[in-house]
Amino acid sequence: MSRTLLVTGGNRGIGLAIVKGLAQTQEDTILLGCRNLDQGNKLANEIGSNVNAVELDLSNQEVLKKNIESIQSQYSIDVLVNNAGVLDSGNLLEVSFEGILNSTQINTLAPIQLIQAFAPKMIEKGYGRIVNISSGWGSFGEGLTGPFAYSTSKAFLNGVTKSGAQSLPANVKMNSMCPGWVRTDMGGPDATLSPEEGAETAIWLSNLPEEGPTGKFFRAKEEISW
Ligand SMILES: NC(=O)c1ccc[n+]([C@@H]2O[C@H](COP(=O)([O-])OP(=O)(O)OC[C@H]3O[C@@H](n4cnc5c(N)ncnc54)[C@H](OP(=O)(O)O)[C@@H]3O)[C@@H](O)[C@H]2O)c1
């Protein structure tokens, strides 16, 4: 079966590595979600003929709604990778309220909006995979030790996975994952993993077989604690 896979924040970092990895399967169409369509088109052309750039700005509900409608007019999404994310720094007392709203919008509310938009068609078709790129900093089990807005928005995203997967049929799977500490603009130059290594678990979850897991949290393809 040839599939259409959408990766948010596909223009750099882990998202770009996910797009490149998924594009190895020639019969699939990969949609590189990005805010700057000129940059996205250039990247898509470089990667391969099965990659197309689509405009996807997660900053605001109305703009995202228009972006989603434009995608739906051209494509039927089988796999959604919620990768785009931001890291607002500071603890509860330091971070601005705007920073909390921004993190929650991009890291959690926009993924929910995308899931609500694309999951019904997956259910209708009897096939779907949703991958929510979270973080160990969003794990209660690991102590929620990251910056406040980041940790809480990723914990919320994990809640979306755990609670939301229960509303989906078994053939539409939704999982969370932590990519590890990855050398990107967000992770910085000292991080231990390359973007390609950080993308591996997301690619694996995008390609889960019928008997694969749903409603779980992974790192390096191993289940981890919420
Ligand atoms: N790097 C790590 O060590 C690490 C660890 C754990 C989890 N993660 C998670 O992995 C994911 C990817 O991180 P990364 O390290 O690749 O980050 P990155 O290099 O900073 O890239 C972030 C991506 O998100 C996009 N983005 C940000 N705000 C957006 C918005 N309002 N609308 C649409 N796209 C937006 C960016 O697009 P623009 O270019 O347009 O800004 C970019 O494509 C994130 O969810 C992050 O939380 C990363």
Side-chain angles (χ1 to χ4, degrees), residues 6 8 13 18 41 43-44 46 48 59 67-69 80 84 106-107 110 126-127 142 153-154 199 202-203 206 219:
L6 172 63
T8 71
I18 295 171
N41 280 328
L43 286 165
E46 283 164 17
S59 320
N67 291 163
I68 288 170
E69 284 166 358
L80 168 65
I106 296 163
N107 295 349
Y127 177 90
E142 296 184 10
S153 62
K154 293 295 192 182
I203 293 168
S206 300
R219 181 191 288 124

Side-chain angles (χ1 to χ4, degrees), residues 8-216:
T8 71
N11 58 300
R12 62 185 166 98
I14 298 166
L16 179 58
I18 295 171
V19 168
K20 286 180 177 169
L22 293 174
Q24 306 285 327
T25 307
Q26 291 299 328
E27 55 270 24
D28 285 341
T29 298
I30 320 302
L31 303 182
L32 184 161
C34 58
R35 287 193 281 189
N36 180 336
L37 201 53
D38 287 341
Q39 184 204 22
N41 280 328
K42 199 162 165 281
L43 286 165
N45 286 338
E46 283 164 17
I47 300 166
S49 56
N50 60 337
V51 181
N52 296 326
V54 292
E55 194 172 343
L56 210 43
D57 186 340
L58 276 47
S59 320
N60 132 354
Q61 187 190 349
E62 287 312 311
V63 173
L64 181 54
K65 187 165 178 274
K66 289 202 174 69
N67 291 163
I68 288 170
E69 284 166 358
S70 166
I71 292 170
Q72 283 174 325
S73 70
Q74 291 172 273
Y75 304 101
S76 167
I77 304 300
D78 302 296
V79 179
L80 168 65
V81 182
N82 280 313
N83 162 77
V86 287
L87 200 168
D88 284 284
S89 56
N91 66 27
L92 168 64
L93 304 177
E94 293 161 348
V95 64
S96 67
F97 197 73
E98 287 66 34
I100 296 170
L101 289 175
N102 181 56
S103 287
T104 310
Q105 169 59 32
I106 296 163
N107 295 349
T108 324
L109 298 178
I112 294 172
Q113 195 177 342
L114 288 159
I115 294 164
Q116 287 191 325
F118 295 123
K121 205 53 180 280
M122 296 178 189
I123 295 169
E124 199 183 304
K125 289 167 80 176
Y127 177 90
R129 302 289 181 264
I130 300 167
V131 184
N132 293 326
I133 312 283
S134 180
S135 166
W137 276 349
S139 163
F140 280 85
E142 296 184 10
L144 293 177
T145 53
F148 178 81
Y150 187 78
S151 278
T152 54
S153 62
K154 293 295 192 182
F156 184 4
L157 182 62
N158 282 346
V160 172
T161 302
K162 177 84 175 161
S163 172
Q166 298 169 36
S167 324
L168 299 171
N171 50 19
V172 178
K173 300 182 187 303
M174 174 156 67
N175 292 288
S176 273
M177 59 146 292
C178 168
W181 188 25
V182 184
R183 286 186 297 279
T184 62
D185 292 342
M186 184 185 290
D190 298 331
T192 47
L193 301 176
S194 67
E196 291 69 31
E197 289 168 322
E200 278 175 19
T201 299
I203 293 168
W204 171 68
L205 289 171
S206 300
N207 292 327
L208 280 179
E210 208 47 61
E211 66 279 9
T214 189
K216 307 280 189 206

